[in-house]
Amino acid sequence: MEDLFVIKVGGNVIDDAAFLASFLSAFAAAPVKKVLIHGGGKIASRLGDKLGIESNYVNGRRITDGDTIDLVTMVYGGLVNKKIVAALQSKGCNAVGLTGADADIIPAIKRTVKEIDYGFVGDVQTGKMNPAFLTLLLNNGYSPVIAPLTHDGKGQMLNTNADTIASSLAIILSNHFHVRLIYCFEKKGVLQDINDEGSVIRLITKDIYAHLKNEHKLFDGILPKIDNAFAAIDSGVQEVLIGDARDLLTNITEDTRGTLIK
Amino acid sequence: MEDLFVIKVGGNVIDDAAFLASFLSAFAAAPVKKVLIHGGGKIASRLGDKLGIESNYVNGRRITDGDTIDLVTMVYGGLVNKKIVAALQSKGCNAVGLTGADADIIPAIKRTVKEIDYGFVGDVQTGKMNPAFLTLLLNNGYSPVIAPLTHDGKGQMLNTNADTIASSLAIILSNHFHVRLIYCFEKKGVLQDINDEGSVIRLITKDIYAHLKNEHKLFDGILPKIDNAFAAIDSGVQEVLIGDARDLLTNITEDTRGTLIK
């Protein structure tokens, strides 16, 4: 099977124009089939502030009311997605910007209200996803660029975590490609000490992960990423890398590869 | 060659939720390959008002400064496009929402500043368009839904008139399909008397058009549409229909077909 990079780029990279530009150059230059999944960064929150739409988070997830789903559909699916596409086109990468609603790539179910009503937040229906469409694009030289939006099949767009979308896509595409899932952010990898870029943990296995969690050596924000990574590996993804957005695409050596999860 | 409908739906339909829903049902049900091009309606102007971005028009074209291109990229490429896609998906049509930047479908050149600086407005480079991508989607059962946005190939999104995009797409696709270009709006067709829906002009040829213009029998707003229609026919498009968004898709008879241009 051919190699495929499924690459998630985080909000802090999106928010930093210079960092984003150099990441997109590295992405465009990577001589491999590739899919990009992006967050929305703080742009949605800033625009929401101007429009009087409050940003509310519970456990790191945005509460998505009716105004907010319109806001993130505009910002993630329009502004951020198309700016990335136009930039990639200018760098010679034939990008196609999409959401999970397009071609029914990612059907989702509106999250059931339990203690918390997350609003228009979608949980991915992995079994109903459409890998055929992405495979069609990839095999014809196009690079899909996917915003963290899904839909319920009844006409409603839904907001879905970009890390989850990345791992779900990596999983369904691993039937067709030899998939490396890459979580790109502004750090060199998963750090032992969040203030020390030299403290990258080079390898996380399930045993090491259990140990690190027991010792409270990982900061909370990284835990969902690692959980998504193990879920992906358990479902056929070859390997997961977490690290700096630029190193991981053009310059993968033992020292720059960030954190390998397997 | 197989039939293809290239359908432009106007802003007044987009702005009327009930009309839009019934149009999209008709679009989804039409048993033919099809491409939809949509405008943005008044949503961009309303959002711009809230954000303090003024809407300025000259000769019916929006002046597009830096804030405005971001605004229309969000609204046309994000909110309107993805709401249409999600609605079509719910009606069984496998829609894929795109702009002219995606897959480099519609490269454009920023309009040269003469008397008026239109800002980030793009004139389509018809010869450099990518019909292969649309043909790939159409031949695999997908219906492209295209927002009126293009790009300059250097990373900048541009605002382009939706009627022009529709005729440009109809032209390049007429090498691959037997194309009917359909301009859908809220009227029954080109009217002799704008207040009388019974006054539809059934047929406009070049001779008839010259005569109607001489007699000042056409309202100004319809002239660019008719000009685009003749440009399309001169470049290989089979026929152009102008009329009611619903009649033209499901119920084309001599009496309901609106205005035929050929």
Coordinates of all heavy atoms in Angstrom, one line a residue, chain A residues 5-90:
Chain A
F5 N 0.1 10.5 4.5 CA 0.2 11.3 5.8 C -1.2 11.9 6.1 O -1.8 12.6 5.2 CB 1.1 12.5 5.6 CG 2.6 12.1 5.7 CD1 3.0 10.8 5.7 CD2 3.6 13.1 5.7 CE1 4.4 10.4 5.7 CE2 4.9 12.8 5.7 CZ 5.3 11.4 5.7
V6 N -1.8 11.7 7.2 CA -3.0 12.4 7.7 C -2.5 13.4 8.8 O -2.1 12.9 9.8 CB -4.0 11.4 8.2 CG1 -5.2 12.2 8.8 CG2 -4.5 10.5 7.1
I7 N -2.6 14.6 8.5 CA -1.9 15.6 9.3 C -2.9 16.6 9.9 O -3.7 17.2 9.2 CB -1.0 16.4 8.4 CG1 0.1 15.5 7.8 CG2 -0.3 17.6 9.2 CD1 0.8 16.0 6.6
K8 N -2.9 16.7 11.2 CA -3.7 17.7 11.9 C -2.9 18.8 12.4 O -1.8 18.6 13.0 CB -4.4 17.0 13.2 CG -4.7 17.9 14.3 CD -5.9 18.8 14.2 CE -6.0 20.0 15.1 NZ -5.6 19.8 16.5
V9 N -3.3 20.0 12.0 CA -2.5 21.2 12.5 C -3.4 22.0 13.4 O -4.6 22.3 13.2 CB -2.1 22.1 11.3 CG1 -3.2 22.6 10.4 CG2 -1.1 23.2 11.7
G10 N -2.8 22.4 14.5 CA -3.6 23.0 15.7 C -3.8 24.4 15.6 O -3.2 25.1 14.7
G11 N -4.6 24.9 16.5 CA -5.1 26.3 16.5 C -4.0 27.3 16.7 O -4.0 28.4 16.1
N12 N -3.0 27.0 17.5 CA -1.9 28.0 17.7 C -1.1 28.2 16.5 O -0.5 29.3 16.3 CB -1.0 27.5 18.9 CG -1.8 27.6 20.2 OD1 -2.7 28.4 20.4 ND2 -1.3 26.8 21.2
V13 N -1.0 27.2 15.6 CA -0.3 27.4 14.4 C -1.1 28.2 13.4 O -0.6 29.2 12.8 CB 0.1 26.0 13.7 CG1 0.7 26.2 12.4 CG2 1.0 25.2 14.7
I14 N -2.4 27.9 13.4 CA -3.3 28.7 12.5 C -3.3 30.2 12.9 O -3.3 31.1 12.0 CB -4.8 28.2 12.7 CG1 -4.9 26.7 12.4 CG2 -5.8 29.0 11.9 CD1 -4.9 26.3 11.0
D15 N -3.1 30.5 14.2 CA -3.2 31.9 14.6 C -1.9 32.6 14.4 O -1.9 33.9 14.5 CB -3.5 31.9 16.2 CG -5.0 31.6 16.4 OD1 -5.8 31.9 15.5 OD2 -5.3 31.1 17.5
D16 N -0.8 32.0 14.0 CA 0.5 32.6 13.9 C 0.8 32.6 12.4 O 1.2 31.6 11.8 CB 1.5 31.8 14.7 CG 2.9 32.4 14.6 OD1 3.2 33.0 13.5 OD2 3.7 32.1 15.5
A17 N 0.6 33.8 11.7 CA 0.6 33.8 10.2 C 2.0 33.3 9.7 O 2.0 32.5 8.7 CB 0.4 35.2 9.7
A18 N 3.1 33.7 10.3 CA 4.4 33.3 9.8 C 4.6 31.8 10.0 O 5.1 31.1 9.1 CB 5.5 34.0 10.6
F19 N 4.2 31.2 11.2 CA 4.3 29.8 11.5 C 3.5 29.0 10.5 O 3.9 28.0 9.9 CB 3.9 29.5 12.9 CG 4.4 28.2 13.5 CD1 4.9 28.1 14.7 CD2 4.3 27.0 12.7 CE1 5.4 26.9 15.3 CE2 4.8 25.8 13.3 CZ 5.3 25.8 14.5
L20 N 2.2 29.5 10.3 CA 1.3 28.8 9.3 C 1.9 28.8 7.9 O 1.9 27.7 7.3 CB 0.0 29.5 9.3 CG -1.1 28.9 8.4 CD1 -1.4 27.5 8.8 CD2 -2.4 29.8 8.4
A21 N 2.5 29.9 7.5 CA 3.0 29.9 6.1 C 4.2 28.9 6.0 O 4.2 28.2 5.0 CB 3.5 31.4 5.8
S22 N 5.0 28.8 7.0 CA 6.1 27.9 6.9 C 5.7 26.5 7.0 O 6.2 25.6 6.3 CB 7.3 28.2 7.8 OG 7.0 27.8 9.1
F23 N 4.7 26.2 7.8 CA 4.0 24.9 7.9 C 3.4 24.5 6.5 O 3.6 23.4 6.0 CB 3.0 24.8 9.0 CG 2.1 23.6 8.8 CD1 2.5 22.3 9.1 CD2 0.8 23.7 8.3 CE1 1.7 21.2 9.0 CE2 0.0 22.6 8.1 CZ 0.5 21.4 8.5
L24 N 2.7 25.4 5.9 CA 2.0 25.1 4.6 C 3.1 24.9 3.5 O 2.8 24.0 2.6 CB 1.0 26.2 4.2 CG -0.2 26.3 5.2 CD1 -1.1 27.5 4.7 CD2 -1.0 25.1 5.2
S25 N 4.2 25.6 3.6 CA 5.3 25.3 2.6 C 5.8 23.9 2.8 O 6.0 23.2 1.8 CB 6.4 26.3 2.8 OG 6.0 27.6 2.4
A26 N 6.0 23.5 4.0 CA 6.5 22.2 4.3 C 5.4 21.1 3.9 O 5.8 20.1 3.3 CB 6.8 22.0 5.8
F27 N 4.2 21.4 4.1 CA 3.1 20.5 3.7 C 3.1 20.3 2.2 O 3.0 19.2 1.7 CB 1.7 21.0 4.2 CG 0.6 20.2 3.9 CD1 0.2 19.1 4.7 CD2 -0.2 20.3 2.7 CE1 -0.9 18.3 4.4 CE2 -1.2 19.5 2.4 CZ -1.6 18.5 3.2
A28 N 3.1 21.5 1.5 CA 3.0 21.5 0.0 C 4.2 20.7 -0.5 O 4.1 20.0 -1.5 CB 3.0 22.9 -0.5
A29 N 5.4 20.8 0.1 CA 6.6 20.2 -0.4 C 6.7 18.7 -0.1 O 7.5 18.0 -0.8 CB 7.8 20.9 0.1
A30 N 6.0 18.2 0.9 CA 6.1 16.8 1.3 C 5.7 15.9 0.1 O 4.6 16.0 -0.4 CB 5.2 16.5 2.5
P31 N 6.7 15.1 -0.4 CA 6.5 14.3 -1.6 C 5.7 13.0 -1.3 O 6.2 11.9 -1.6 CB 7.9 14.0 -2.1 CG 8.7 13.9 -0.8 CD 8.0 14.8 0.2
V32 N 4.5 13.1 -0.9 CA 3.7 12.0 -0.5 C 2.2 12.4 -0.5 O 1.9 13.6 -0.5 CB 4.1 11.6 1.0 CG1 3.8 12.7 2.0 CG2 3.4 10.3 1.4
K33 N 1.3 11.4 -0.7 CA -0.1 11.7 -0.6 C -0.4 12.2 0.8 O 0.1 11.7 1.8 CB -0.9 10.5 -0.9 CG -0.9 10.1 -2.4 CD -1.8 8.9 -2.7 CE -2.1 8.7 -4.1 NZ -1.0 8.5 -5.0
K34 N -1.3 13.2 0.9 CA -1.6 13.8 2.2 C -2.9 14.4 2.4 O -3.5 14.9 1.4 CB -0.5 14.8 2.5 CG -0.4 15.9 1.4 CD 1.1 16.3 1.1 CE 1.1 17.2 -0.1 NZ 2.5 17.5 -0.6
V35 N -3.4 14.4 3.6 CA -4.7 15.0 4.0 C -4.4 15.9 5.1 O -3.7 15.6 6.0 CB -5.7 13.9 4.4 CG1 -7.0 14.6 4.9 CG2 -6.0 12.9 3.3
L36 N -5.0 17.1 5.1 CA -4.8 18.1 6.2 C -6.1 18.3 6.9 O -7.1 18.6 6.2 CB -4.2 19.4 5.6 CG -4.0 20.6 6.6 CD1 -2.9 20.1 7.6 CD2 -3.5 21.8 5.9
I37 N -6.0 18.3 8.2 CA -7.2 18.6 9.0 C -6.8 19.8 9.9 O -5.7 19.8 10.5 CB -7.6 17.4 9.9 CG1 -8.1 16.3 9.1 CG2 -8.8 17.9 10.9 CD1 -7.0 15.2 8.9
H38 N -7.6 20.9 9.9 CA -7.2 22.1 10.6 C -8.2 22.4 11.6 O -9.4 22.1 11.5 CB -7.0 23.2 9.7 CG -8.2 23.6 8.9 ND1 -9.2 24.4 9.4 CD2 -8.6 23.3 7.6 CE1 -10.1 24.6 8.5 NE2 -9.8 23.9 7.4
G39 N -7.7 23.1 12.7 CA -8.6 23.7 13.7 C -9.0 25.1 13.2 O -8.8 25.5 12.1
G40 N -9.6 25.8 14.1 CA -10.1 27.2 13.7 C -9.3 28.2 14.6 O -9.4 29.4 14.3
G41 N -8.6 27.8 15.6 CA -7.9 28.7 16.4 C -8.8 29.7 17.1 O -10.0 29.4 17.4
K42 N -8.3 30.9 17.3 CA -9.0 31.9 18.1 C -9.8 32.8 17.2 O -10.5 33.7 17.7 CB -8.1 32.7 18.9 CG -7.3 31.8 20.0 CD -6.3 32.5 20.7 CE -5.5 31.5 21.6 NZ -4.0 31.5 21.2
I43 N -9.8 32.5 15.9 CA -10.5 33.4 14.9 C -12.0 33.4 15.2 O -12.6 34.5 15.2 CB -10.1 33.0 13.5 CG1 -8.6 33.0 13.3 CG2 -10.8 34.0 12.5 CD1 -8.2 32.5 11.9
A44 N -12.5 32.2 15.4 CA -14.0 32.1 15.7 C -14.3 32.9 17.0 O -15.3 33.6 17.0 CB -14.4 30.7 15.8
S45 N -13.5 32.7 18.0 CA -13.8 33.4 19.3 C -13.7 34.9 19.1 O -14.6 35.7 19.6 CB -12.8 33.0 20.3 OG -12.9 31.6 20.5
R46 N -12.7 35.4 18.4 CA -12.6 36.8 18.1 C -13.8 37.4 17.3 O -14.3 38.4 17.7 CB -11.3 37.2 17.4 CG -10.1 37.2 18.3 CD -8.9 37.9 17.7 NE -8.5 37.3 16.4 CZ -7.6 36.3 16.3 NH1 -7.0 35.8 17.3 NH2 -7.2 35.8 15.1
L47 N -14.2 36.7 16.3 CA -15.3 37.1 15.5 C -16.6 37.1 16.3 O -17.4 38.0 16.2 CB -15.4 36.3 14.2 CG -16.5 36.8 13.2 CD1 -16.0 38.1 12.5 CD2 -16.8 35.7 12.1
G48 N -16.7 36.0 17.1 CA -17.8 35.9 18.0 C -18.0 37.0 18.9 O -19.1 37.6 19.1
D49 N -16.8 37.5 19.5 CA -16.8 38.6 20.4 C -17.4 39.8 19.7 O -18.2 40.6 20.2 CB -15.4 38.9 20.9 CG -14.9 37.9 21.8 OD1 -15.7 37.1 22.4 OD2 -13.7 37.8 22.1
K50 N -17.0 40.1 18.4 CA -17.5 41.2 17.7 C -19.0 41.1 17.4 O -19.6 42.1 17.3 CB -16.7 41.3 16.3 CG -15.3 41.8 16.4 CD -14.8 42.1 15.0 CE -13.3 42.2 15.0 NZ -12.7 42.4 13.7
L51 N -19.5 39.9 17.3 CA -20.9 39.7 16.9 C -21.7 39.5 18.2 O -22.9 39.3 18.1 CB -21.0 38.5 16.0 CG -20.4 38.7 14.6 CD1 -20.4 37.3 13.9 CD2 -21.2 39.7 13.8
G52 N -21.1 39.5 19.4 CA -21.9 39.3 20.6 C -22.2 37.9 20.8 O -23.2 37.5 21.4
I53 N -21.5 36.9 20.2 CA -21.7 35.5 20.4 C -20.6 35.0 21.4 O -19.4 35.1 21.1 CB -21.6 34.7 19.1 CG1 -22.6 35.2 18.1 CG2 -21.7 33.2 19.3 CD1 -22.4 34.7 16.7
E54 N -21.1 34.6 22.6 CA -20.2 34.3 23.6 C -19.5 32.9 23.4 O -20.1 32.0 22.8 CB -21.0 34.2 24.9 CG -20.2 34.7 26.1 CD -21.1 34.8 27.3 OE1 -22.3 35.3 27.2 OE2 -20.7 34.2 28.4
S55 N -18.2 32.8 23.7 CA -17.5 31.5 23.6 C -17.6 30.8 24.9 O -17.0 31.3 25.9 CB -16.1 31.7 23.2 OG -16.0 32.2 21.9
N56 N -18.2 29.6 25.0 CA -18.3 28.9 26.2 C -17.7 27.5 26.0 O -18.0 26.8 25.1 CB -19.8 28.7 26.7 CG -20.4 30.0 27.1 OD1 -19.8 30.7 27.8 ND2 -21.6 30.2 26.6
Y57 N -16.8 27.1 26.9 CA -16.1 25.8 26.8 C -16.4 25.0 28.1 O -16.4 25.5 29.2 CB -14.6 26.0 26.7 CG -14.1 26.6 25.4 CD1 -14.1 27.9 25.1 CD2 -13.8 25.7 24.4 CE1 -13.7 28.4 23.9 CE2 -13.4 26.2 23.1 CZ -13.4 27.5 22.9 OH -13.0 28.0 21.7
V58 N -16.6 23.7 27.9 CA -16.7 22.8 29.0 C -15.7 21.6 28.7 O -15.8 21.0 27.6 CB -18.1 22.2 29.3 CG1 -18.1 21.2 30.3 CG2 -19.0 23.4 29.6
N59 N -14.8 21.3 29.5 CA -13.8 20.3 29.3 C -13.1 20.5 27.9 O -12.8 19.5 27.2 CB -14.4 18.9 29.3 CG -15.1 18.6 30.6 OD1 -14.7 19.1 31.7 ND2 -16.1 17.8 30.6
G60 N -12.8 21.7 27.6 CA -12.1 22.0 26.4 C -12.9 21.9 25.1 O -12.4 22.1 24.0
R61 N -14.2 21.6 25.2 CA -15.1 21.5 24.1 C -16.0 22.8 24.1 O -16.6 23.1 25.1 CB -15.9 20.3 24.1 CG -15.1 19.0 24.1 CD -14.4 18.7 22.8 NE -13.3 17.7 23.0 CZ -13.4 16.5 22.6 NH1 -14.5 16.0 22.0 NH2 -12.4 15.7 22.7
R62 N -16.1 23.4 22.9 CA -16.9 24.5 22.7 C -18.4 24.2 22.8 O -18.9 23.2 22.2 CB -16.7 25.2 21.3 CG -17.3 26.5 21.1 CD -17.1 27.0 19.7 NE -15.8 27.5 19.4 CZ -15.5 28.8 19.6 NH1 -16.4 29.7 20.1 NH2 -14.3 29.3 19.3
I63 N -19.2 24.9 23.6 CA -20.6 24.7 23.6 C -21.2 25.4 22.4 O -20.9 26.6 22.2 CB -21.3 25.4 24.9 CG1 -20.7 24.8 26.1 CG2 -22.8 25.2 24.8 CD1 -21.1 23.3 26.4
T64 N -21.9 24.7 21.5 CA -22.2 25.2 20.2 C -23.7 25.4 20.1 O -24.5 24.5 19.7 CB -21.7 24.2 19.2 OG1 -20.4 23.9 19.4 CG2 -21.9 24.7 17.8
D65 N -24.2 26.7 20.4 CA -25.6 27.0 20.2 C -25.8 27.3 18.7 O -24.9 27.2 17.8 CB -26.1 28.1 21.1 CG -25.4 29.4 20.9 OD1 -24.7 29.5 19.8 OD2 -25.5 30.3 21.7
G66 N -27.1 27.7 18.4 CA -27.4 28.0 17.0 C -26.6 29.1 16.3 O -26.1 28.9 15.2
D67 N -26.3 30.2 17.0 CA -25.4 31.2 16.5 C -24.0 30.7 16.3 O -23.3 31.1 15.4 CB -25.4 32.4 17.4 CG -26.7 33.2 17.3 OD1 -27.4 33.1 16.3 OD2 -27.0 34.0 18.2
T68 N -23.6 29.9 17.3 CA -22.2 29.4 17.3 C -21.9 28.4 16.1 O -20.9 28.5 15.5 CB -21.8 28.8 18.6 OG1 -22.1 29.8 19.6 CG2 -20.4 28.4 18.7
I69 N -22.9 27.6 15.8 CA -22.6 26.7 14.7 C -22.5 27.5 13.4 O -21.7 27.1 12.5 CB -23.7 25.5 14.6 CG1 -23.3 24.5 13.5 CG2 -25.1 26.0 14.3 CD1 -22.0 23.7 13.8
D70 N -23.3 28.5 13.2 CA -23.2 29.4 12.0 C -21.8 30.0 12.0 O -21.1 30.1 11.0 CB -24.3 30.5 12.0 CG -25.6 29.9 11.5 OD1 -25.7 28.7 11.2 OD2 -26.6 30.7 11.5
L71 N -21.4 30.5 13.2 CA -20.1 31.2 13.3 C -19.0 30.2 12.9 O -18.1 30.6 12.1 CB -19.9 31.6 14.8 CG -18.6 32.2 15.2 CD1 -18.4 33.6 14.5 CD2 -18.4 32.4 16.7
V72 N -18.9 29.0 13.5 CA -17.8 28.1 13.2 C -17.9 27.6 11.7 O -16.9 27.3 11.1 CB -17.7 27.0 14.2 CG1 -17.3 27.6 15.6 CG2 -18.9 26.1 14.3
T73 N -19.2 27.5 11.2 CA -19.3 27.0 9.8 C -18.7 28.1 8.9 O -17.9 27.8 7.9 CB -20.8 26.8 9.4 OG1 -21.3 25.8 10.3 CG2 -21.0 26.4 8.0
M74 N -18.9 29.4 9.2 CA -18.3 30.5 8.5 C -16.8 30.4 8.6 O -16.0 30.5 7.6 CB -18.7 31.8 9.0 CG -20.1 32.2 8.6 SD -20.5 33.9 8.9 CE -20.4 34.1 10.6
V75 N -16.3 30.4 9.8 CA -14.9 30.6 10.1 C -14.1 29.4 9.7 O -13.1 29.5 9.0 CB -14.6 31.0 11.6 CG1 -13.1 31.0 11.9 CG2 -15.3 32.4 11.9
Y76 N -14.5 28.2 10.2 CA -13.7 27.0 9.9 C -13.9 26.6 8.5 O -12.9 26.3 7.7 CB -14.1 25.8 10.8 CG -14.0 26.0 12.3 CD1 -14.7 25.1 13.1 CD2 -13.3 27.0 12.9 CE1 -14.6 25.2 14.5 CE2 -13.2 27.1 14.2 CZ -13.9 26.2 15.1 OH -13.8 26.4 16.4
G77 N -15.1 26.5 8.0 CA -15.4 26.0 6.7 C -15.2 27.0 5.6 O -15.0 26.6 4.4
G78 N -15.2 28.3 5.9 CA -15.0 29.3 4.9 C -13.7 30.0 5.0 O -12.8 29.7 4.3
L79 N -13.6 30.9 6.0 CA -12.4 31.7 6.1 C -11.1 30.9 6.2 O -10.2 31.1 5.4 CB -12.5 32.7 7.2 CG -11.5 33.8 7.3 CD1 -11.5 34.7 6.1 CD2 -11.7 34.6 8.6
V80 N -11.0 30.1 7.2 CA -9.7 29.4 7.5 C -9.4 28.4 6.4 O -8.3 28.3 5.9 CB -9.8 28.7 8.9 CG1 -8.5 27.9 9.1 CG2 -9.9 29.8 10.0
N81 N -10.5 27.6 6.1 CA -10.3 26.6 5.1 C -9.8 27.1 3.7 O -8.9 26.6 3.1 CB -11.6 25.8 5.0 CG -11.5 24.5 4.1 OD1 -11.7 24.5 2.9 ND2 -11.0 23.4 4.7
K82 N -10.5 28.2 3.3 CA -10.2 28.7 1.9 C -8.9 29.5 1.9 O -8.2 29.5 0.9 CB -11.4 29.5 1.4 CG -12.7 28.7 1.3 CD -12.5 27.4 0.6 CE -13.8 26.5 0.7 NZ -13.6 25.1 0.2
K83 N -8.5 30.1 3.0 CA -7.2 30.8 3.0 C -6.1 29.7 3.0 O -5.1 29.9 2.3 CB -7.1 31.6 4.3 CG -7.8 32.9 4.2 CD -7.3 33.9 5.4 CE -7.9 35.3 5.1 NZ -7.4 36.2 6.1
I84 N -6.3 28.6 3.6 CA -5.3 27.5 3.6 C -5.2 27.0 2.2 O -4.2 26.8 1.6 CB -5.6 26.4 4.6 CG1 -5.3 26.9 6.0 CG2 -4.8 25.2 4.3 CD1 -5.8 26.0 7.1
V85 N -6.4 26.8 1.6 CA -6.4 26.2 0.2 C -5.7 27.2 -0.8 O -4.9 26.7 -1.6 CB -7.9 26.0 -0.3 CG1 -8.0 25.7 -1.8 CG2 -8.5 24.8 0.5
A86 N -6.1 28.5 -0.7 CA -5.4 29.4 -1.6 C -3.9 29.5 -1.4 O -3.2 29.5 -2.4 CB -6.1 30.8 -1.4
A87 N -3.5 29.4 -0.2 CA -2.0 29.4 0.1 C -1.4 28.2 -0.4 O -0.3 28.2 -1.1 CB -1.8 29.5 1.6
L88 N -2.0 27.0 -0.2 CA -1.4 25.8 -0.8 C -1.4 25.8 -2.3 O -0.4 25.3 -2.9 CB -2.2 24.5 -0.3 CG -2.0 24.2 1.2 CD1 -2.9 23.1 1.6 CD2 -0.5 23.8 1.5
Q89 N -2.4 26.3 -2.9 CA -2.4 26.4 -4.4 C -1.2 27.2 -4.8 O -0.6 26.9 -5.8 CB -3.7 27.0 -4.9 CG -5.0 26.1 -4.8 CD -4.9 24.9 -5.8 OE1 -4.2 25.0 -6.8 NE2 -5.8 23.9 -5.6
S90 N -1.0 28.3 -4.1 CA 0.2 29.2 -4.5 C 1.5 28.5 -4.3 O 2.5 28.9 -4.9 CB 0.1 30.5 -3.7 OG 0.6 30.3 -2.4

